[in-house]
Amino acid sequence: MATTVWSKGQMLFGYSSRLHRATRRFSESEDKGWFRSVFAHKLDARKDAHSNLLSKKETSSLYKIQFHNVKPECMEAYNSLEAEVQTRLHLDQDYPCEVVGSWNTWYGEQDQAVHLWRYRGGYPALTECLKKLNNDKAYFEFRKERAKMLISRRNQLLLEFSFWNEPVPRPGPNIYEMRTYFLKPGTMIEWGNHWARAIMHRQENNEAIGGFFSQIGDLYVVHHLWAYESLQSREDTRKSAWLKDGWDANVYYTVPLIRSMESRIMIPTKSSPLQ
């Protein structure tokens, strides 16, 4: 019997052809699942700024997140002072801002307060609010008093992802987790493409509060905010996500986009709209 001798080029061509046919059969099969969804409805990063492609157009809301590291002995007094001022600004119609939530970190960086503000109307609303605060003598005194209680503070300006829930007040008691992802530069669009599909797997227990990405401050930073009844509820909810078709693909494709990440478990303050 004659033996056919294959050249390296022929073998590579044959392998490539088989791989192409197998991939084609897989993508055209009934059980298409996540494979097709990964490549469907992608945003093109070259067409527009990330802020225009990923953020909600209908609300035009700008968010500010504050991280205040408080002297341990001052935390109670700090919370009382912050609540008093937040309530006044929140209820005053002359200030185009509102408190979305205020928390103290339970697990993560200790003796830390986290505040999330919303400015409906975007940068013009933020500018208007800052001008009014600069002429507010009571607010000036508040800042002087607060400064005595702080070790350090920082903030970021954020936009919300178009495919995430908009944060709305909710009753408690709940614990909150803020998962913060520091992405590799240039990967925000890809992150958004995957999470636009993945968020559907995290809605059953009403745990999804809001998703945001930074505009000013540390860049290529994403914050996901979740609510749970307890730490055990958090554990059960996160495990159940792995039973849903497509969640594993989201993790597989988004992990390589991350430089580092952190998690905070937070307890809402008494004045927080998110309880």
Side-chain angles (χ1 to χ4, degrees), residues 6 31 42-43 54 61 80 110 142 165 175 202 235:
W6 292 80
D31 187 19
K42 282 193 173 182
L43 297 171
L54 293 170
S61 291
S80 297
Q110 297 293 283
F142 154 72
N165 310 19
I175 63 170
R202 298 296 308 274
E235 178 76 2

Side-chain angles (χ1 to χ4, degrees), residues 50 183-192 220 256-258:
H50 292 180
L183 304 185
K184 298 174 183 177
T187 61
M188 187 65 73
I189 293 294
E190 189 175 355
W191 178 273
Y220 284 95
L257 310 180
I258 301 170

Side-chain angles (χ1 to χ4, degrees), residues 5-22:
V5 178
W6 292 80
S7 69
K8 182 182 292 186
Q10 288 172 316
M11 287 190 291
L12 288 174
F13 177 78
Y15 173 77
S16 177
S17 298
R18 290 194 299 274
L19 179 61
H20 174 74
R21 289 195 297 271

Side-chain angles (χ1 to χ4, degrees), residues 87-100:
T87 301
R88 182 171 72 86
L89 295 178
H90 189 80
L91 298 177
D92 193 333
Q93 297 299 317
D94 288 336
Y95 287 92
C97 62
E98 55 187 328
V99 183
V100 175

Side-chain angles (χ1 to χ4, degrees), residues 147-273:
K148 301 174 185 177
M149 306 176 184
L150 295 181
I151 298 172
S152 64
R153 59 192 178 98
R154 61 187 175 90
N155 60 23
Q156 294 173 339
L157 293 181
L158 315 170
L159 294 176
E160 58 183 329
F161 285 109
S162 60
F163 47 84
W164 264 81
N165 310 19
E166 182 173 359
V168 295
R170 67 166 59 195
N174 296 290
I175 63 170
Y176 290 80
E177 180 177 22
M178 180 173 289
R179 296 179 71 85
T180 300
Y181 304 89
F182 302 88
L183 304 185
K184 298 174 183 177
T187 61
M188 187 65 73
I189 293 294
E190 189 175 355
W191 178 273
N193 279 325
H194 291 299
W195 267 96
R197 291 181 290 273
I199 191 62
M200 69 181 70
H201 301 307
R202 298 296 308 274
Q203 300 284 356
E204 281 187 5
N205 296 323
N206 197 29
E207 71 266 28
I209 300 297
F212 313 91
F213 60 100
S214 62
Q215 285 291 283
I216 296 179
D218 293 333
L219 297 178
Y220 284 95
V221 178
V222 170
H223 300 289
H224 289 175
L225 185 59
W226 310 92
Y228 304 101
E229 292 180 358
S230 64
L231 287 174
Q232 185 59 54
S233 172
R234 170 188 177 274
E235 178 76 2
D236 296 341
T237 300
R238 289 177 55 80
K239 282 183 178 179
S240 69
W242 286 95
L243 304 177
K244 298 180 174 64
D245 184 36
W247 178 254
D248 56 343
N250 175 64
V251 174
Y252 179 83
Y253 282 104
T254 56
V255 165
L257 310 180
I258 301 170
R259 290 187 292 114
S260 64
M261 57 187 289
E262 63 181 356
S263 169
R264 287 178 178 82
I265 300 297
M266 308 183 300
I267 303 297
T269 62
K270 293 179 181 179
S271 60
S272 176

